Amino acid sequence: MITIKRTTPSSSAPEAETAVCVLTASGLLGLGAAAVSAAAGATPEQALASGYAVGPVVLGATIALGRRGYKWAASDRFNAWADHRPIRQVSAVFAGSPFLSVGVLVLFVPVMGLGLLDAGYGRAVRRYRSGAIHIAAACMPAHARERWLDTVAESLHETPPEKHDALVRNFIANAPIEIHLAWSGRRRAGSER
Amino acid sequence: MPPRMTLQTQLVLQALMRDPSRELYGRELAEETGLMPGTTHPILVRLEDAGWVRSRKEDIDPHIEGRPARRYYWLTSEGAVEASAALAAAHRPTRRALRALADEGGAA
């Protein structure tokens, strides 16, 4: 017996439509989560992080289901049953899910990462912040670098540990000004010589 | 060129002018101004560039003292004159602006 394996046709229109729907839904879920967190008394940063975190989690679940659906939709059994039925449109939507998953990952992973960094969660975040301080320092001329790192160390020592995250964030936020001042001060010193 | 009289700059100058003979280090400045050290440091660098403020690093052995050396800041005599004139000419911050500043940059 010869079996002819048919695959589900994938048209770009339903894919795009689904992408928009899923992204919108996850965005709304994220906003909802942020609103709930804010209402529960979370700081704006924590609310933002909740929003960033919940959206992709729901999206991940949708994509996982979508991929299973795609496998199912590509099976002979399904094709035999779905021919000439409106449900075939749904199978085309599932066919787009691998593309969706890549797109969504590309879009949301950095956003989620930024959200978590912004809220200051986890050891990795602290490591990142410490790395950011050293990257900023590396952008300064030697004399300014040493002085700025001394100031950071002095401030960290003088500040209680529970305020270190806010302190380091404040130094990172002001690092571009420090870099600008360091180089403009050096240029001025050079031209005055 | 005189430094720009931002609200934060005014707060730093006011803190230094409270007792011009006193040298202040980062933590004390943060407490006096309500600003975080990351915010006050670039202001102090600008004021130093303008010649209004001078600084020195404390001469200690961090291993013996068990803490990093502090950097102390003080107003120069020229800086004290220029700063009081600049503060007198500067716009007085509104209560709303001060409240917003306290909310976002609260002391470290």
Side-chain angles (χ1 to χ4, degrees), chain B residues 4-104:
Chain B
R4 261 189 322 134
M5 277 296 116
T6 61
L7 181 52
Q8 288 92 335
T9 308
Q10 291 177 46
L11 290 169
V12 170
L13 285 173
Q14 280 165 1
L16 289 167
M17 285 182 71
R18 240 161 251 153
D19 182 0
S21 62
R22 188 174 156 213
E23 297 179 356
L24 296 174
Y25 66 94
R27 175 75 187 153
E28 288 173 331
L29 267 167
E31 278 168 3
E32 297 259 346
T33 58
L35 300 169
M36 295 181 96
T39 308
T40 55
H41 188 256
I43 294 169
L44 291 162
V45 171
R46 274 202 195 102
L47 293 173
E48 254 190 284
D49 282 354
W52 291 17
V53 166
R54 293 194 69 184
S55 73
R56 67 172 178 87
K57 195 173 165 181
E58 194 181 21
D59 188 18
I60 57 156
D61 184 341
H63 296 293
I64 294 170
E65 296 290 328
R67 63 171 173 82
R70 292 168 179 162
R71 183 169 281 275
Y72 284 92
Y73 299 88
W74 69 95
L75 273 175
T76 60
S77 47
E78 182 205 344
V81 174
E82 299 246 22
S84 51
L87 283 173
H91 289 292
R92 272 169 182 267
T94 61
R95 201 174 295 172
R96 195 176 155 196
L98 282 171
R99 208 171 30 235
L101 194 69
D103 286 345
E104 71 186 41

Side-chain angles (χ1 to χ4, degrees), chain A residues 20-187:
Chain A
V20 170
C21 286
V22 174
L23 290 177
T24 310
S26 69
L28 288 173
L29 279 163
L31 278 176
V36 169
S37 304
T43 64
E45 286 171 340
Q46 285 166 341
L48 190 70
S50 310
Y52 284 144
V54 166
V57 165
V58 174
L59 262 179
T62 310
I63 288 160
L65 286 171
R67 295 191 82 148
R68 288 196 71 161
Y70 170 64
K71 280 185 186 165
W72 176 60
S75 68
D76 291 337
R77 202 174 150 200
F78 175 78
N79 277 310
W81 178 77
D83 267 353
H84 312 299
R85 284 188 173 89
I87 199 155
R88 197 167 180 85
Q89 292 299 319
V90 179
S91 69
V93 161
F94 283 140
S97 60
F99 298 98
L100 257 183
S101 61
V102 173
V104 162
L105 277 176
V106 167
L107 183 69
F108 274 94
V109 166
V111 173
M112 189 171 71
L114 282 175
L116 292 172
L117 289 177
D118 198 38
Y121 289 141
R123 207 178 296 158
V125 171
R126 276 189 281 279
R127 255 205 314 270
Y128 164 85
R129 288 216 175 114
S130 153
I133 288 277
H134 285 97
I135 290 169
C139 296
M140 297 176 191
H143 70 284
R145 182 188 314 142
E146 194 186 329
R147 178 172 165 173
W148 190 62
L149 287 175
D150 282 350
T151 305
V152 174
E154 179 195 330
S155 303
L156 283 171
H157 188 270
E158 306 275 352
T159 308
E162 65 270 16
K163 290 183 178 173
H164 280 188
D165 270 0
L167 184 71
V168 171
R169 228 176 327 170
N170 179 249
F171 272 108
I172 292 170
N174 285 286
I177 306 166
E178 294 275 5
I179 294 166
H180 168 73
L181 283 174
W183 285 105
S184 58
R186 192 187 154 128
R187 205 168 44 240

